[in-house]
C-alpha cells in the first residue's frame, strides 16, 4: 500500500546517483578509503556499545547517552555508506523510487535524532557540573529514558514530515540526483511540481532544531563556562573541562559540517560543495565519535582492559 502511494503521482520509478565523482580512475581508490572508514565506524561504535553494556561502572547517565549516540551513528552510517560503496563498483548507480524514499526517511530520522541526543548530553553535563548535589535526582533513570524517547520521537516526527512532503511531489523529467544518496535538496531540484511546502517544512524543522537543540546546547555550555570561571580549584576546572571536551568537539564537528552543507547560496557549484561537506557529518563524524570519547577517557580504557582480560583468561 505504501509503495503504491509513493508511486501514484510520479512517472519516475528509479533515480540515478551522480555520486561523489564522475572520474572512473578515482572510484576504486575512493571505494577502499570509504570501505576502511565504514569498517572503522561499525567496529568503533559497536565496540563502544558493547563496552558500556558489559561494564557496570559505565552504567551512568553520561554513558547511557553515549551508548545512544553510538547506536545512532552506527545506524545512519548503515543507511548511507553501503549503497555508496556498491555504487563505486557498479557501472550505473541506480536506486528505486521506493528505496530512495526509504533511505531519505531513515537518514532524516537518525540525523535529527542525533541532534537531540547531543542536546540531552549537553544538559547532562550542565547538571553534573552546575547542579552536582541534585544530579542523581535530576538525571534519574526515568528522566534519562524520557530524554532518549523524546529524542527518537522528535527524529521520527521530522523524518515523517520530510518524507511525507517528498512523496507528494511529482518527478516526471530528470531522475539524476546530484549526490551519493537521497538527500532533500538534490531531490527537490528534480521535482516538476511546486516545492514551496517542502521548503517551508524544511525551514520549520530547521528552526525547531536550532531553537530546541542549538539553544539548549549553547545555554548549557554558557552556564558551565560561568561555573568554571568561578571555580577556585584548578583540579575542579580541569575535571569540568575534561568531562565536556569530548562533547564540545563532537558538537562542533557535527553542527559545523551541517552548516557548511546547508547554509550556502543556491547554485550548482554550492550543491557540489555541499555534497562533499556532507561526507563529514554522514561518514566522518560517526567514525570519529568513538575515538573522541575513548582516547582520553580513563573509564572507557579501563572497561576495554577489563573486557579483554575476561575474553583472554
Amino acid at each position: 500500500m505504501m509503495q503504491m502511494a509513493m508511486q501514484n503521482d510520479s512517472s519516475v520509478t528509479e533515480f540515478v546517483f551522480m555520486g561523489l565523482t564522475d572520474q572512473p580512475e578515482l572510484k576504486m581508490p575512493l571505494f577502499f578509503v570509504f570501505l576502511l572508514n565504514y569498517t572503522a565506524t561499525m567496529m568503533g561504535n559497536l565496540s563502544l556499545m558493547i563496552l558500556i553494556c558489559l561494564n557496570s561502572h559505565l552504567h551512568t547517565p553520561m554513558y547511557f547517552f553515549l551508548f545512544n549516540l553510538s547506536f545512532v551513528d552506527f545506524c545512519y552510517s548503515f543507511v548511507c555508506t553501503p549503497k555508496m560503496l556498491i555504487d563505486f563498483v557498479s557501472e550505473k548507480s541506480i536506486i528505486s523510487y521506493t528505496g530512495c524514499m526509504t533511505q531519505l526517511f531513515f537518514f532524516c530520522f537518525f540525523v535529527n535524532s542525533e541532534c537531540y541526543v547531543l542536546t540531552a548530553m549537553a544538559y547532562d553535563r550542565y547538571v553534573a557540573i552546575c547542579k552536582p548535589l541534585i544530579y542523581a535526582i535530576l538525571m534519574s533513570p526515568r528522566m534519562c529514558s524520557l530524554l532518549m524517547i523524546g529524542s527518537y520521537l522528535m527524529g521520527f516526527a521530522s523524518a515523517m514530515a520530510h518524507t511525507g512532503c517528498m512523496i507528494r511531489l511529482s518527478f516526471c523529467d530528470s531522475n539524476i540526483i546530484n549526490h551519493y544518496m537521497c538527500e532533500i535538496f538534490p531531490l527537490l531540484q528534480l521535482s516538476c511540481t511546486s516545492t514551496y511546502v517542502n521548503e517551508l517544512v524544511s525551514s520549520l524543522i530547521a528552526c525547531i532544531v536550532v531553537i530546541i537543540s542549538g539553544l539548549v546546547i549553547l545555554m548549557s555550555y554558557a552556564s558551565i563556562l560561568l561555573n568554571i570561571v568561578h571555580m577556585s580549584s584548578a583540579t575542579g576546572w580541569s575535571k569540568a573541562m575534561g568531562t565536556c571536551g569530548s562533547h564540545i568537539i563532537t558538537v562542533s564537528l557535527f553542527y559545523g559540517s551541517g552548516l557548511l552543507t546547508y547554509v550556502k547560496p543556491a547554485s550548482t557549484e554550492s550543491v557540489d560543495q555541499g555534497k562533499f561537506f556532507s561526507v563529514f557529518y554522514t561518514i566522518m563524524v560517526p567514525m570519529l565519535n568513538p575515538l573522541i570519547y575513548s582516547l582520553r577517557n580513563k573509564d572507557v580504557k579501563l572497561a576495554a582492559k577489563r573486557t579483554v582480560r575476561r575474553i583472554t583468561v
Side-chain angles (χ1 to χ4, degrees):
M1 184 67 72
M2 184 179 178
Q3 184 171 350
M4 288 176 64
M6 282 184 178
Q7 294 182 352
N8 275 346
D9 299 323
S10 181
S11 60
V12 171
T13 58
E14 62 183 25
F15 293 101
V16 178
F17 292 128
M18 285 183 66
L20 276 176
T21 179
D22 56 358
Q23 299 179 41
E25 67 273 13
L26 292 178
K27 289 190 175 183
M28 284 310 294
L30 286 173
F31 170 80
F32 287 110
V33 168
F34 285 113
L35 180 62
L36 287 172
N37 170 278
Y38 183 60
T39 304
T41 300
M42 295 292 104
M43 293 298 294
N45 284 291
L46 190 60
S47 299
L48 199 52
M49 286 189 284
I50 291 170
L51 285 177
I52 293 169
C53 287
L54 294 180
N55 292 271
S56 57
H57 74 283
L58 298 183
H59 295 174
T60 63
M62 175 181 171
Y63 292 102
F64 172 72
F65 295 133
L66 182 55
F67 176 91
N68 281 274
L69 180 66
S70 290
F71 172 74
V72 170
D73 283 339
F74 182 92
C75 290
Y76 88 69
S77 293
F78 184 75
V79 170
C80 308
T81 316
K83 174 60 180 166
M84 184 176 72
L85 289 173
I86 292 169
D87 291 342
F88 278 132
V89 294
S90 302
E91 289 186 12
K92 205 170 184 182
S93 307
I94 297 173
I95 188 170
S96 68
Y97 181 93
T98 305
C100 186
M101 295 301 117
T102 303
Q103 187 186 59
L104 175 68
F105 171 82
F106 283 107
F107 174 73
C108 291
F109 171 59
F110 289 118
V111 168
N112 280 279
S113 295
E114 175 142 343
C115 292
Y116 298 112
V117 172
L118 289 171
T119 305
M121 293 176 79
Y123 177 71
D124 172 66
R125 292 301 84 206
Y126 158 74
V127 176
I129 293 169
C130 301
K131 310 281 185 183
L133 298 179
I134 55 172
Y135 178 76
I137 299 170
L138 291 177
M139 301 306 295
S140 64
R142 181 173 180 273
M143 176 57 71
C144 292
S145 298
L146 287 173
L147 285 171
M148 285 302 94
I149 291 169
S151 297
Y152 291 123
L153 284 176
M154 291 290 283
F156 179 79
S158 300
M160 285 294 289
H162 281 305
T163 312
C165 289
M166 194 65 70
I167 290 171
R168 59 177 285 279
L169 297 179
S170 293
F171 300 94
C172 48
D173 189 11
S174 175
N175 68 336
I176 300 174
I177 301 175
N178 186 14
H179 215 283
Y180 56 86
M181 65 178 180
C182 289
E183 252 272 36
I184 296 168
F185 295 110
L187 278 169
L188 292 183
Q189 292 180 335
L190 303 183
S191 174
C192 53
T193 51
S194 173
T195 60
Y196 174 76
V197 173
N198 298 67
E199 291 168 13
L200 190 65
V201 168
S202 295
S203 299
L204 182 62
I205 292 172
C207 287
I208 292 171
V209 170
V210 169
I211 291 169
I212 296 178
S213 183
L215 283 182
V216 170
I217 291 172
L218 287 174
M219 289 171 65
S220 295
Y221 278 105
S223 300
I224 290 169
L225 184 61
L226 287 172
N227 192 277
I228 289 173
V229 168
H230 290 96
M231 281 183 180
S232 55
S233 167
T235 305
W237 185 91
S238 176
K239 187 177 179 181
M241 286 304 296
T243 59
C244 297
S246 298
H247 186 256
I248 292 171
I249 294 169
T250 299
V251 169
S252 301
L253 286 171
F254 183 76
Y255 281 94
S257 55
L259 286 171
L260 287 170
T261 303
Y262 296 112
V263 182
K264 56 192 180 341
S267 66
T268 303
E269 184 181 352
S270 66
V271 169
D272 290 334
Q273 290 172 357
K275 182 169 58 175
F276 286 99
F277 283 129
S278 71
V279 169
F280 286 93
Y281 79 89
T282 58
I283 296 171
M284 296 303 296
V285 171
M287 181 193 72
L288 293 173
N289 281 346
L291 296 174
I292 292 168
Y293 279 97
S294 59
L295 288 178
R296 295 180 59 193
N297 190 308
K298 293 179 181 178
D299 291 333
V300 173
K301 287 180 181 178
L302 178 62
K305 288 177 183 177
R306 286 180 178 177
T307 304
V308 170
R309 199 176 298 125
R310 286 179 199 168
I311 296 169
T312 54
V313 172

